[in-house]
Amino acid sequence: MGVAYSVGEVDHLFAFFVEWSPNMYGKSKKKHCKSCNHKKKKDLSGYLVDKDMDPANQPKAAKNWKPPSTLLQTENFLSFWIVDKVSKIITVKDSKRRLSFCSSVESEKENEEYQEEDEGMLPVLNQPSQLLQDHHLQKLAAHMPARTQGYPWNLVYSTAIHGSSLKTLYRNMADLDSPVLLVIRDMHNKVFGAFSSDPFKVSQYCYGTGETFLFTFQPDFQHYRWSGENSYFVSGNMESLHIGAGGGGFALWLDADLYHGASFSCPTFNNPPLSTHQDFIVQDVEVWTVRG
C-alpha cells in the first residue's frame, strides 16, 4: 500500500539532501535562476529563497529554518523524520488491516445470514403441485445441483393433466435441454422419485450424469446420490422408463401406462427400495423441469 506525501514534504526532504550532499544529489550546490543572476536555493519548507533578498522580505518559513550545524544533527534529524514517517505508515497499515478484517467478518456474517434465509426459501412453481407440499419442496430444492438454484420449476407433465402415458411424457420433453424432477405418489400415498440431469427420452443407451439422484419421503426425507459403481443413470424405450440398474433390478421402473412401477436396491445409487413395496401401483406422476 503506497503512502501519499504532500509536495511540501517531498521538496523538504529533497532540498535537504541537495544542501548537504550536492555531489550525490545535484551537480552543484548553487543554482542560478534563468530570469535573473541571483543565486537561489530551496529551503526545507519548499519555498524558493533568494540569498540576496532582504531577510525581512523573505517568506516566514524560510526565515525560521536553520540548517543543522553538524553531520550528527543531520543524521539525528533524518532518523527522527524516517522513524516518524514509518511509524505513521505502520499505524495506517495496521488500522486499515484491522478495518479490513472487521469488514470481512461482517461480510461472512451477512453471508451466513443470507444462506440461513435462503434455506427457508421455496422454489417458484409455474403451476400448483398435486404431489409436493412446502416441506417436500424445501428438502428437494436444498439438495439439487447449484446450477439449478434460483430457477423456477415448470410442470411439463402430469397424469392429472395429460393422462397416464409414457409416450406423452416423452413427447412433452422432446424439445427440452434441462434437468428434470420426477415425482411419484403410489397407492399407499408414499412420495418418492428421482432427479435426472437430462430430460427423459427414448434411448438405446444409458444417459445422464452423476448429478442424478433418487429421493424418498418414507418415513423421512432421504436422498441417494451416485455411488460411482456404474453409470446406468437413465434409460428408456416406449415400453418402460428405467432409472439406475445393475444387480438384477432397477432403482426405479415405470411401465408404458405409468400404472405399474417397481423399486429395487441397485448399485448405481446403493439405495434401498424407495417405496414400502418393491412393486407398487402408481397413483400420480409429475415431472418438473428446472433450467440450469
Side-chain angles (χ1 to χ4, degrees), residues 9-23:
E9 288 179 319
V10 173
D11 287 346
H12 184 98
L13 182 61
F14 181 74
F16 181 85
F17 289 155
V18 171
E19 177 70 24
W20 294 101
S21 300
N23 294 333

Side-chain angles (χ1 to χ4, degrees), residues 60-256:
K60 183 178 180 180
K63 291 188 293 182
N64 293 337
W65 177 78
K66 293 182 180 180
S69 58
T70 66
L71 181 60
L72 179 59
Q73 291 181 13
T74 301
E75 292 176 349
N76 290 341
F77 172 79
L78 276 178
S79 299
F80 175 80
W81 190 87
I82 292 172
V83 169
D84 179 63
K85 292 301 178 185
V86 170
S87 175
K88 289 180 179 178
I89 293 172
I90 292 175
T91 302
V92 170
K93 283 186 176 180
D94 187 59
S95 175
K96 290 189 175 182
R97 182 188 64 80
R98 289 197 297 267
L99 179 60
S100 176
F101 175 76
C102 293
S103 299
S104 176
V105 170
E106 290 176 358
S107 297
E108 289 180 2
K109 184 178 180 180
E110 290 176 358
N111 188 49
E112 289 176 358
E113 291 175 354
Y114 173 79
Q115 289 179 346
E116 289 177 0
E117 292 177 0
D118 190 53
E119 287 178 358
M121 294 178 64
L122 299 176
V124 177
L125 309 184
N126 72 329
Q127 294 187 49
S129 174
Q130 303 296 318
L131 308 181
L132 297 173
Q133 299 177 13
D134 286 354
H135 71 280
H136 296 132
L137 294 170
Q138 186 176 12
K139 292 293 186 181
L140 287 171
H143 290 84
M144 289 172 67
R147 68 187 180 101
T148 67
Q149 300 298 325
Y151 288 95
W153 293 14
N154 298 311
L155 184 65
V156 293
Y157 176 81
S158 169
T159 50
I161 299 172
H162 305 99
S164 298
S165 171
L166 183 58
K167 183 179 180 179
T168 303
L169 185 151
Y170 286 143
R171 184 171 61 247
N172 287 7
M173 297 185 207
D175 298 325
L176 294 181
D177 185 21
S178 60
V180 293
L181 183 72
L182 169 68
V183 185
I184 301 169
R185 180 169 63 191
D186 66 13
M187 288 305 233
H188 298 281
N189 290 320
K190 307 304 181 184
V191 177
F192 50 91
F195 172 86
S196 174
S197 61
D198 296 66
F200 301 128
K201 59 187 177 182
V202 175
S203 175
Q204 184 179 355
Y205 306 102
C206 291
Y207 56 89
T209 70
E211 288 182 328
T212 304
F213 66 86
L214 307 174
F215 66 88
T216 181
F217 288 92
Q218 312 313 319
D220 299 315
F221 176 77
Q222 298 291 334
H223 71 291
Y224 305 95
R225 297 195 177 278
W226 179 39
S227 67
E229 293 189 32
N230 63 46
S231 299
Y232 304 147
F233 299 113
V234 185
S235 62
N237 51 45
M238 298 306 296
E239 286 73 41
S240 58
L241 174 67
H242 329 118
I243 301 175
F250 300 108
L252 193 55
W253 176 90
L254 295 173
D255 70 357

